[in-house]
Amino acid sequence: MTSIAPRLGRAPATVAASSLCDVSILVPIYNEQGNIPILAERLFAVLDRLNLSFEIIAVNDGSSDNSLAELKEVAARRKELKIISFSRNSGQTAALMAGFDYCTGKVAISIDADLQNDPDDIPNLLAKIAEGYDVVAGWRVDRKDDAVRRNFPSHVANKLISTVTGVHLHDFGCTLKAYRREVMTGVRLYGEMHRFVPVYASWQGAKVTEIPVRHHPRRFGKSNYGLERVAKVVLDLMVVKFLDRHLVKPIYVFGGFGLLSLFVSMISGVYALYLKLVDGVSLIQTPLPLATAMFFLVGILSLLLGLVAEMLARTYFESQDRRAYSVRDTVNCDD
Ligand code: UDP
Ligand code: MG
C-alpha cells in the first residue's frame, strides 16, 4: 500500500508460509452478548462444510457486557476460535486492524458480529477470490437499516467515495469483505478507514470486485453508529486522497497554494498602485491594500507549512525505512 503503508505489517509478515491456514474470519465485537453463540454456531456450520483449514479471530473491542465470557465459552470447545481482547473500546476499525495483524489465513474475511451479515455468503466470497480477485466486497443490495439515518447518508457517501477515488463499489461500508493476504499485509488503518482497504488495494493494482450479499435487521443489542459517522468518513476520504497523492511531495500542495496566493497578492498590490497613480484613488479608499497584505501572509505561511510538511514526510519515510514506491514482484533479484 504505497502511501498509507508500504511497509509489511509486523504480525502477518512473520508467519511462515507453511503455517498459513486457508481462511481467517475476522469479527469485531463490541457489546454483542446474545449474538455471539448464534454467530459462532452459524460460522462453524458454514466453515466446517467447506473442507478448508480456518480460524475465527474474534476481537473483543473492550465490551462491557457478557461478550467476552460468551466468547470464552465457545473457545473452550473450538480451538479454531481465537480471541483478542482489547483493554478498552478502540473502535471497529482498530478491531479489524488487530484482526489483520494477528490472522494467519491466506484469505481474510471480515464480518459483523451482530448477524446483520450472513455467514452463508462466505462461500460466495471465497468463490470470487478463487476466480482470481484480490478483494471481494459485499454489497448489501437490500439493506435493513434505518432509511433516513443510515441508508441515505451511506448512499451519498458511497457515491462520493466512488467518484473521488475512482474505485467503483456500491457499498464501501459493508463489513463483509474478503481480502487476499498480499493485500492486507502492511495495511495501517485509522479512524473509519477500514472501508477504504479496497481503495488502497485497487490503487496498488489489486483486482477488486463486489457481489450482492444478504443483510438482516439487528436482533440483539443496538447499532453503535449514527449520522456523525458520515462526517468522519468524509474527513477520512480527504486524508486517504491526500496521503495517496501528496505524501511524497507535500510542498507541491502547500507550496502551490502559497505561490497562487502570492500571485493574487501581487495583482491586487499592482492594481491598488495603478488606481492611486493613474486614477488618483487613495489607497485607503479600496480594500485592495488589505487584500494584498492578507494574500501575502497566507502565501508565505503556506510555503512555510509546505516546508514543515516536507520534514514530516521525510521523518515518516526514513524513521520507518519506508519507500516512495512499492514493489509487487521482481525477477532474478533474489538478494
Ligand atoms: N464494533 C466494534 N467496536 C465499536 C463499535 C462496533 O468492534 O466500537 C463492532 C460491532 O460489535 C459489530 C460491528 O463492529 O460487530 C458493526 O457495528 P454496528 O452493528 O454497531 O454497526 P452498523 O451495523 O450499525 O453499521
Ligand atoms: Mg450492525
Side-chain angles (χ1 to χ4, degrees):
M1 316 281 107
T2 5
S3 47
I4 309 284
R7 203 166 92 116
L8 291 183
R10 275 146 297 182
T14 52
V15 181
S18 55
S19 60
L20 291 179
C21 64
D22 293 324
V23 188
S24 299
I25 307 291
L26 315 180
V27 199
I29 294 169
Y30 179 61
N31 291 350
E32 298 288 1
Q33 81 184 16
N35 287 319
I36 289 168
I38 311 172
L39 176 77
E41 188 187 319
R42 300 226 16 226
L43 280 176
F44 279 116
V46 174
L47 293 165
D48 285 337
R49 262 205 318 271
L50 281 177
N51 223 351
L52 297 168
S53 58
F54 68 88
E55 64 183 358
I56 299 175
I57 304 220
V59 184
N60 171 33
D61 182 14
S63 300
S64 53
D65 64 359
N66 261 333
S67 298
L68 185 57
E70 291 187 356
L71 282 171
K72 284 182 173 164
E73 210 166 284
V74 181
R77 284 184 283 118
R78 297 290 309 245
K79 293 298 165 222
E80 296 97 329
L81 177 64
K82 304 175 179 174
I83 307 173
I84 296 159
S85 205
F86 287 179
S87 39
R88 64 181 178 83
N89 181 246
S90 305
Q92 187 188 352
T93 297
L96 284 170
M97 186 73 248
F100 282 142
D101 281 344
Y102 280 85
C103 77
T104 62
K106 292 175 192 151
V107 176
I109 299 185
S110 51
I111 186 167
D112 278 346
D114 54 8
L115 296 160
Q116 289 201 265
N117 297 140
D118 198 319
D120 289 333
D121 282 315
I122 289 175
N124 304 337
L125 292 173
L126 286 172
K128 272 284 173 202
I129 292 274
E131 275 178 34
Y133 289 98
D134 300 304
V135 177
V136 184
W139 169 19
R140 296 164 291 183
V141 179
D142 184 16
R143 192 170 162 184
K144 299 286 196 298
D145 280 320
D146 185 275
V148 179
R149 277 181 62 244
R150 302 296 306 277
N151 297 357
F152 175 70
S154 145
H155 181 74
V156 175
N158 283 318
K159 273 271 176 321
L160 186 71
I161 298 173
S162 146
T163 311
V164 172
T165 64
V167 177
H168 304 296
L169 295 180
H170 286 90
D171 191 3
F172 287 90
C174 179
T175 307
L176 190 57
K177 292 194 186 90
Y179 314 88
R180 216 181 271 282
R181 186 168 191 82
E182 294 76 19
V183 166
M184 63 193 170
T185 6
V187 181
R188 286 284 163 271
L189 305 173
Y190 306 92
E192 286 285 317
M193 284 190 178
H194 61 269
R195 69 192 60 234
F196 294 117
V197 178
V199 174
Y200 305 145
S202 166
W203 282 347
Q204 289 299 107
K207 280 175 74 184
V208 178
T209 190
E210 66 185 356
I211 58 169
V213 294
R214 281 156 280 207
H215 196 241
H216 307 287
R218 225 179 209 280
R219 278 168 67 189
F220 303 101
K222 60 175 176 41
S223 168
N224 294 287
Y225 301 105
L227 262 183
E228 78 290 346
R229 197 187 222 183
V230 179
K232 291 187 187 167
V233 168
V234 170
L235 294 175
D236 280 341
L237 179 62
M238 283 172 57
V239 174
V240 167
K241 188 76 183 171
F242 178 79
L243 288 190
D244 173 66
R245 297 265 312 277
H246 306 298
L247 184 71
V248 184
K249 285 308 291 176
I251 189 82
Y252 292 166
V253 183
F254 291 97
F257 183 75
L259 289 180
L260 181 72
S261 191
L262 286 181
F263 181 70
V264 173
S265 160
M266 198 182 78
I267 301 278
S268 151
V270 168
Y271 190 48
L273 281 181
Y274 169 86
L275 288 181
K276 161 118 181 121
L277 300 176
V278 179
D279 296 344
V281 182
S282 159
L283 280 178
I284 54 169
Q285 273 179 293
T286 71
L288 287 173
L290 188 65
T292 306
M294 217 179 66
F295 280 109
F296 182 76
L297 273 178
V298 169
I300 296 289
L301 282 178
S302 299
L303 283 170
L304 293 178
L305 263 183
L307 293 177
V308 175
E310 283 287 320
M311 281 167 30
L312 284 178
R314 284 186 182 33
T315 316
Y316 176 75
F317 280 103
E318 278 159 31
S319 66
Q320 310 190 39
D321 199 22
R322 281 173 184 255
R323 295 288 176 271
Y325 53 82
S326 79
V327 176
R328 164 179 282 237
D329 217 349
T330 60
V331 175
N332 289 348
C333 299
D334 291 343
D335 304 325

